[in-house]
Amino acid sequence: MRQLRGQERVITANRQTSWAFADAFVGEDEALLRARERAHEAGLRSVSPGTGAALRLLAATADAKAVAEIGTGTGVSGIYLLQGMRPDGVLTTVDPEPERQQFAREAFRAAGFATNRARFIPGRALDVLPRLADGGYDLVFCDGDRLEGLDYLAESLRLLRPGGLVCFEGVFADGRTVDSAAQPAEVLRLRELLRAVRESPVLLATLLPVGDGLLCAVRRG
């Protein structure tokens, strides 16, 4: 990534406060709070309320009927996605830990979603994604292994219909993505992902400053 130059505005305390306010703008109900609590107990990091609300908005804008999620967790992001999807939409969610998916099942039920609204597939994402249908998805949300982001991108381009969306959570890496100090492999891979999405001729991209950074792109026709 290029170095930040003087023309970029300094991040003031007021801007940080405004970002925090925006991230917490949408309140969460009991089902979401319980799913978030379970994630905390399991040592998992959930999407922030602002990130969840952005995903919900994007799913609704796309009138999404089929969404693929990499990284089920305890169901926080899944609830937000289901809230934005069509009433007959199905969320296909992939995670290597079946126990987490059981938590998510309970969370979806508590949030009022019928069991047929979600399809749970246990397994490593790069083993599961090749089995999903080409062009069969309106949105792909990636919240898995940061080292595999470029592989998720390649699979997403195959899975998405023209006009579909791909989103990547956590691309700021707690500020390390733009830090000039030496960084671990996962941060270097995030930089490669950001560059690949931004420079792709088939994607129209933006980077949303919610949570730990939400990279979103539309697949052109």
Side-chain angles (χ1 to χ4, degrees):
M1 301 297 292
R2 66 185 177 87
Q3 294 291 321
L4 294 180
R5 304 298 181 186
Q7 67 266 27
E8 272 87 0
R9 292 178 58 189
V10 174
I11 300 176
T12 64
N14 282 341
R15 288 187 72 193
Q16 289 179 324
T17 301
S18 296
W19 285 346
F21 175 74
D23 210 38
F25 176 69
V26 178
E28 296 190 321
D29 60 18
E30 186 61 33
L32 274 167
L33 291 174
R34 177 56 181 149
R36 192 176 292 285
E37 180 183 356
R38 277 193 156 176
H40 179 74
E41 292 169 353
L44 301 175
R45 184 169 179 168
S46 301
V47 299
S48 73
T51 300
L55 291 171
R56 179 172 59 194
L57 179 68
L58 291 169
T61 302
D63 194 28
K65 183 176 182 180
V67 172
E69 177 185 47
I70 300 171
T72 308
T74 57
V76 176
S77 54
I79 290 175
Y80 276 112
L81 288 165
L82 284 165
Q83 287 175 344
M85 293 169 65
R86 289 169 44 169
D88 60 343
V90 175
L91 173 68
T92 297
T93 183
V94 181
D95 198 286
E97 300 294 336
E99 183 181 1
R100 297 177 190 172
Q101 293 193 319
Q102 183 56 40
F103 288 151
R105 280 191 181 90
E106 296 169 7
F108 294 171
R109 190 180 310 117
F113 297 108
T115 56
N116 64 356
R117 292 293 311 280
R119 177 171 62 146
F120 295 90
I121 305 179
R124 180 171 171 264
L126 295 182
D127 294 331
V128 173
L129 295 177
R131 306 202 303 264
L132 303 184
D134 293 7
Y137 293 84
D138 305 298
L139 189 154
V140 178
F141 174 53
C142 306
D143 190 15
D145 189 336
R146 288 174 174 172
L147 291 171
E148 298 178 343
L150 288 171
D151 299 307
Y152 298 160
L153 175 61
E155 287 294 333
S156 296
L157 290 175
R158 180 184 61 79
L159 293 174
L160 287 172
R161 63 165 173 79
L165 290 154
V166 60
C167 301
F168 292 86
E169 153 65 8
V171 295
F172 288 166
D174 295 317
R176 293 176 297 163
T177 302
V178 295
D179 191 334
S180 59
Q183 297 296 336
E186 67 173 30
V187 175
L188 301 181
R189 293 290 280 180
L190 282 174
R191 291 174 180 171
E192 293 176 13
L193 172 67
L194 285 160
R195 188 178 301 111
V197 170
R198 184 177 60 190
E199 297 177 356
S200 171
V202 299
L203 293 173
L204 186 63
T206 191
L207 181 54
L208 301 181
V210 291
D212 196 26
L214 186 65
L215 175 63
C216 304
V218 176
R219 185 185 184 279
R220 299 178 186 268

